[in-house]
Amino acid sequence: MSRRLPISERARLDPFVIATGDASPRDQRDLMERPFFSLSKSRRTVPILYEAGAVRVEVFAVPEHGMATIWDADILIWAAGQIVEAENLRLATSRFLRFTPYHLLTAIGRETGASDYKLLKAALTRLQSTSIRTTIRNGEHWRRHQFSWVNEWEELTRLDGRVEGMELVLPDWFYRGVVDRSLVLAIDPAYFRLKGGIERWLYRVARKHAGRQRHGWVFDLHHLHEKSGSLARVSDFALQIRRIAMRQPLPGYHLGIERDGRREILRILPAPSSAGPVDSAVDAIGRSHARPFGRSHASPSGDHTQRRQLTLWPDTTIPGLNLESNVLTLTCCCESVDCGDSASPFQSAIGGLIRKAAFDCEDMPVRPPERANAAVCRRCGRSLPSSSR
């Protein structure tokens, strides 16, 4: 008797199809003030062990890949923003995300060259291999939750090696913290332009604690060092905080160093001209994490932009506004029985509303001149009846 292979977790989840990277970035409150990520670009294998009252955080890395960095966390911030945006539009979401790497990279201010795709895959590998144990948001009888930032991920590539699409499954702990609106905060897209690990972490602390409070928030530098999980000595960490305060790089916040006897204090105040995080587009910036990949400037260029649409998935392309996510993913535009889809009356009715939005001229097959203006089914390629156009 042949042994049945275990079913992938993705097979049990409805895909949340992300059609665009346009969404205000959101951060999860629990991740903003506690040490969940390495603040260094160099490989870290030393565990993070943090405890304050009933809260305990333990982060472990494997030597082969190292611990997930605060730059890798951009992927989680992007995913949280997409989930919240879809929930605001009353669309069904899932822990199983299906997206194009082009949309993700441009949304977090990265370039879209071949080397940037390699860096993205390295970040996903670190997110999957990093193990977290925490008592945060546990129930009365559940004392510790252990998970990885990404349960599993997969890339879809063409024969020439071009990456056309990606899929990943988020952990339930993170997903539940995102769909609970009280546990997420909008952040300024300018956050992605911050280059240093400590200043990135400091912005998240400022957004979480100071927010838009008139009097801001005050931290003892020794306490900040403990909360950061940094491997730097306290004196070196304090020196970096002073340098950041001199540069004032945090969007929307002003930093000031004060002294109380021998204690050194950081005061975080909302900038007078700041109205808080805004949902503006993110300017493109260079790579900011992991070890760099060299460029030879030979043809084809390592910075050659990848195609934006998917061609290897059954759906051919990701439709606009996630309208075919989950329950509508199997709806066929032409409503033909021969297409192999079993669309319900409800799906067929909704499908009629989204049919035009689902068409993409780049995805349609080349048609003869006499059929140039004829609409075709995006999935099966058949001509649509006039009543369905």
Side-chain angles (χ1 to χ4, degrees), residues 233-309:
R233 297 179 302 176
V234 177
S235 58
D236 293 335
F237 178 85
L239 177 61
Q240 294 186 60
I241 295 295
R242 293 188 209 107
R243 289 174 175 172
I244 293 173
M246 291 178 62
R247 296 199 320 270
Q248 298 295 339
L250 303 192
Y253 293 97
H254 181 273
L255 306 178
I257 300 294
E258 303 175 0
R259 291 190 178 275
D260 181 10
R262 300 188 63 179
R263 293 175 61 219
E264 199 167 12
I265 295 172
L266 176 69
R267 182 176 295 276
I268 305 174
L269 292 170
S273 60
S274 173
V278 294
D279 298 340
S280 59
V282 182
D283 296 330
I285 60 173
R287 294 176 310 281
S288 60
H289 71 291
R291 62 187 64 179
F293 284 80
R295 293 190 178 89
S296 63
H297 301 288
S299 179
S301 168
D303 278 334
H304 182 67
T305 301
Q306 309 295 301
R307 288 176 61 83
R308 298 174 58 172
Q309 70 276 4

Side-chain angles (χ1 to χ4, degrees), residues 354-383:
I354 66 173
R355 207 163 290 132
K356 291 184 178 180
F359 287 130
D360 190 326
C361 61
E362 293 183 3
D363 296 323
M364 292 185 180
V366 178
R367 286 169 279 174
E370 63 272 12
R371 298 181 59 203
N373 297 322
V376 297
C377 174
R378 182 175 49 80
R379 295 192 60 194
C380 64
R382 301 184 181 187
S383 298

Side-chain angles (χ1 to χ4, degrees), residues 75-238:
I75 297 174
L76 301 178
I77 292 174
W78 172 82
Q82 294 292 334
I83 292 171
V84 171
E85 185 73 15
E87 294 278 341
N88 289 340
L89 295 173
R90 300 185 181 277
L91 302 173
T93 61
S94 168
R95 295 189 294 119
F96 174 20
L97 275 60
R98 178 179 287 176
F99 59 94
T100 62
Y102 175 89
H103 285 140
L104 190 160
L105 289 171
T106 54
I108 62 176
R110 308 281 173 85
E111 297 177 3
T112 55
S115 59
D116 299 280
Y117 281 67
K118 293 179 182 178
L119 293 171
L120 172 61
K121 289 185 282 187
L124 287 169
T125 299
R126 286 189 293 271
L127 289 170
Q128 184 181 22
S129 62
T130 300
S131 298
I132 301 94
R133 298 176 189 167
T134 182
T135 58
I136 300 174
R137 285 194 279 115
N138 284 353
E140 180 182 358
H141 302 293
W142 296 93
R143 301 307 304 162
R144 186 173 65 178
H145 199 131
Q146 181 166 330
F147 56 92
S148 296
W149 294 121
V150 171
N151 287 12
E152 58 176 290
W153 67 277
E154 184 176 8
E155 61 175 340
L156 293 98
T157 61
R158 301 194 322 188
L159 293 178
D160 61 1
R162 187 189 299 275
V163 178
E164 294 275 323
M166 282 186 170
E167 299 175 344
L168 64 83
V169 178
L170 297 169
D172 184 66
W173 185 90
F174 177 79
Y175 179 73
R176 285 188 287 110
V178 172
V179 295
D180 185 342
R181 304 301 178 83
S182 65
L183 297 178
V184 290
L185 288 173
I187 65 173
D188 196 313
Y191 164 83
F192 296 121
R193 293 198 289 268
L194 297 176
K195 296 180 180 180
I198 292 182
E199 63 187 40
R200 277 174 160 248
W201 175 81
L202 199 56
Y203 171 82
R204 300 170 82 186
V205 170
R207 181 70 183 95
K208 166 66 168 57
H209 288 284
R212 300 171 191 171
Q213 300 181 67
R214 180 180 177 183
H215 300 290
W217 203 267
V218 174
F219 284 103
D220 180 275
L221 290 191
H222 283 268
H223 180 53
L224 266 183
H225 180 261
E226 293 176 359
K227 290 171 68 68
S228 71
S230 173
L231 292 176
R233 297 179 302 176
V234 177
S235 58
D236 293 335
F237 178 85

